[in-house]
Amino acid sequence: MANRINTVKELQEEKDKLKQLGEEQLKAMKSNLKSVKIESKNVLLNKILIPVGTAILVGYGVKKLIDTFQSDDQSTHDVLPMAGPDHDPPVYHRPAATEAQSKNGFLSNVDWSATALKMLPFVLSVGKKLYEEGHLPFLEPPSDHK
């Protein structure tokens, strides 16, 4: 305020100008907060949730695949006959699943954590590209809010 206010009319005009300026700044602040909210939602989805979810799904799928291969190898165990003390017919059973089993199955010598870390950038980039192109039916692709 370089000029002085000498009359009530000038005071009222200055008050109206400041009120108008305050309303404009409030609108700008609301608009900025809304854009920050939208942008943070997009960043959270694109940079955190999709990559982590993709990594978890890929890890779970690889684990299930490995378990399937290992269960195929382990299902060929011999069946042991056991006769009861009263000369009952033999009871056939497999060894308990809780017993420690040797790891000599298919893909048992692979360092899965190192392999997963090597594949992670590829999986994340493919997941992001699928998301951006709209090929994931359960997620909407990001739209430009500029």
Side-chain angles (χ1 to χ4, degrees):
M1 293 175 80
N3 57 357
R4 294 186 165 232
I5 299 174
N6 296 326
T7 65
V8 175
K9 183 179 178 183
E10 292 175 354
L11 179 63
Q12 188 64 35
E13 289 173 359
E14 191 65 29
K15 182 180 173 185
D16 290 340
K17 286 180 187 177
L18 290 176
K19 187 175 181 180
Q20 181 74 20
L21 181 64
E23 288 174 0
E24 289 173 5
Q25 289 177 345
L26 182 63
K27 286 180 185 178
M29 186 175 69
K30 285 181 181 179
S31 173
N32 288 338
L33 286 176
K34 187 175 182 179
S35 64
V36 165
K37 179 182 172 185
I38 291 170
E39 188 64 29
S40 63
K41 183 179 175 183
N42 288 337
V43 167
L44 177 70
L45 192 64
N46 291 334
K47 302 288 185 187
I48 298 172
L49 294 179
I50 289 178
V52 170
T54 305
I56 289 171
L57 287 175
V58 168
Y60 181 74
V62 169
K63 182 181 181 320
K64 284 296 183 182
L65 184 66
I66 293 168
D67 290 346
T68 301
F69 282 127
Q70 288 179 349
S71 69
D72 288 345
D73 290 342
Q74 294 170 358
S75 65
T76 60
H77 286 171
D78 294 333
V79 177
L80 303 174
M82 296 188 66
D86 298 331
H87 302 293
D88 291 335
V91 177
Y92 295 94
H93 76 293
R94 290 187 177 167
T98 58
E99 295 177 9
Q101 297 174 351
S102 63
K103 289 193 171 192
N104 56 3
F106 181 68
L107 300 175
S108 63
N109 295 328
V110 176
D111 184 9
W112 291 107
S113 60
T115 304
L117 284 176
K118 289 178 183 176
M119 291 179 59
L120 188 62
F122 170 73
V123 170
L124 294 178
S125 64
V126 168
K128 183 179 178 187
K129 186 156 183 83
L130 287 173
Y131 173 72
E132 288 173 349
E133 292 176 356
H135 294 296
L136 300 177
F138 49 88
L139 293 173
E140 295 179 13
S143 59
D144 294 330
H145 294 287
K146 294 179 182 177

